[in-house]
Amino acid sequence: MSQIIDGKFVSETMKASIAKEVQDLVSAGQRAPHLVAILVGNNGASETYVANKVKSCEELGFTSTLLRFEPTITEAELLAAVQGVNDNPDMDGLIVQLPLPDHINPDKVMETILPSKDVDGFHPINIGRMAKGLPAYISATPQGVLDLLAYYHIQTAGKHCVVVGRSQIVGLPMSILMQRNHPQGNCTVTLTHSRTPNLEEICAQGDIVIAALGKPEFIKAAYIKEGAVVIDVGLTRVEDASKKSGFALKGDVDFADVAPKCSYITPVPKGVGPMTIVSLMKNTLLAAKGTIYPKN
């Protein structure tokens, strides 16, 4: 029987620790960490993600500011809003919720955020520092995966890790992190993607398989070898008339088919998802303390 990796439980444990640290900071006369979120337009999924982040700030004793803009905002106006947060010393971290309207270049926006306030870990400087093994803000989902591996004492050194999906948000940083010289690393990593031939054969060689391709229930039992660790990063809304909401959340892994072969597996939901927000909160706390980038 595989062991279920309970991301909801682990995230609640980490939240309690963060909340205690924030309480200690405030008791010592320092201000609470301050996270700013910029939301452009009215994308339903983005609204939900930002609302969850604001709620987490409230739970942990953070200060949060939500800056909302119409989808007609110009790129120059959005960049000016980002610069305003950069210039405010009382604002520690900034996230710009993706996706953005087509007329705005997301790379330009991310590059405008100060690396010291880039708690999403998307700035090229933070990505470069991560790749070199230097202190950096690591993007929230990959960091959440590392925290799950650590919590469950899953051995990674010398293992073959197959990452499915090469997005700049998950797949690419995940492949870099899993090969670095670190307690949750030292793997031999294969990064696969939509152009990879014989994907099933490659996945079946993995001691650890991290699925982040955005195709619901794509990974079947044939892709997984006996005893593998399977981390499912996927989260897709699929129509389901049996649900009150009208949809169900599905991961990239066919859980019922794959789970019997695994040593460990993350469910969807309540697997990697809850870890993403707590990782963002952890980065914001680091920003407030000046741990990665010292405060001026």
Side-chain angles (χ1 to χ4, degrees):
M1 289 293 292
S2 60
Q3 181 169 350
I4 305 299
I5 296 176
D6 189 343
K8 189 173 189 303
F9 173 79
V10 177
S11 69
E12 291 300 326
T13 301
M14 292 179 63
K15 280 183 177 181
S17 176
I18 293 171
K20 175 63 167 61
E21 193 164 350
V22 171
Q23 188 178 46
D24 291 344
L25 282 174
V26 174
S27 296
Q30 300 181 51
R31 61 174 176 77
H34 187 170
L35 176 65
V36 180
I38 290 179
L39 179 61
V40 180
N42 50 10
N43 178 285
S46 293
E47 294 267 5
T48 300
Y49 294 148
V50 170
N52 287 338
K53 291 166 185 175
V54 170
K55 180 182 177 183
S56 291
C57 285
E58 294 172 354
E59 292 173 349
L60 301 182
F62 286 32
T63 300
S64 67
T65 298
L66 174 58
L67 302 177
R68 304 182 66 110
F69 298 100
E70 294 297 321
T72 53
I73 187 174
T74 67
E75 182 175 271
E77 289 170 334
L78 182 57
L79 294 178
V82 169
Q83 192 58 51
V85 177
N86 286 343
D87 294 339
N88 190 330
D90 292 331
M91 294 176 169
D92 301 303
L94 169 61
I95 59 170
V96 178
Q97 186 65 43
L98 301 176
L100 293 169
D102 291 342
H103 65 279
I104 297 176
N105 183 343
D107 289 331
K108 194 169 183 179
V109 174
M110 296 305 156
E111 290 175 20
T112 301
I113 300 172
L114 280 176
S116 59
K117 297 193 178 189
D118 167 44
V119 289
D120 256 336
F122 294 160
H123 194 286
I125 288 178
N126 277 316
I127 294 171
R129 290 176 64 90
M130 176 196 69
K132 287 180 63 65
L134 298 172
Y137 299 127
I138 296 172
S139 53
T141 300
Q143 181 61 60
V145 172
L146 297 182
D147 287 336
L148 288 176
L149 293 172
Y151 188 89
Y152 281 86
H153 304 289
I154 294 171
Q155 297 300 310
T156 58
K159 304 296 185 181
H160 182 191
C161 176
V162 177
V163 180
V164 188
R166 58 179 171 181
S167 76
Q168 294 184 34
I169 295 174
V170 181
L172 180 59
M174 203 76 253
S175 68
I176 294 170
L177 292 165
M178 293 304 292
Q179 58 78 39
R180 66 181 178 159
N181 185 10
H182 186 270
Q184 284 72 56
N186 287 308
C187 288
T188 298
V189 178
T190 302
L191 177 60
T192 65
H193 47 79
S194 60
R195 301 293 181 88
T196 302
N198 62 316
L199 180 59
E200 179 180 320
E201 178 185 340
I202 294 173
C203 284
Q205 299 170 18
D207 302 302
I208 302 170
V209 176
I210 301 174
L213 67 162
K215 293 186 177 181
E217 300 187 328
F218 179 86
I219 302 294
K220 305 293 184 181
Y223 286 71
I224 304 298
K225 76 175 184 179
E226 290 286 344
V229 175
V230 175
I231 307 294
D232 188 352
V233 180
L235 187 66
T236 304
R237 289 186 179 190
V238 177
E239 290 186 8
D240 187 339
S242 69
K243 302 288 186 180
K244 184 177 180 180
S245 62
F247 65 87
L249 296 175
K250 298 289 185 181
D252 290 345
V253 175
D254 186 336
F255 186 90
D257 195 37
V258 169
K261 297 183 74 172
C262 304
S263 56
Y264 292 87
I265 186 170
T266 59
V268 175
K270 301 181 181 180
V272 175
M275 299 297 296
T276 297
I277 290 180
V278 77
S279 298
L280 176 66
M281 298 297 112
K282 184 164 68 172
N283 279 349
T284 304
L285 178 59
L286 291 173
K289 294 166 60 179
T291 304
I292 306 294
Y293 298 94
K295 294 284 190 180
N296 293 330

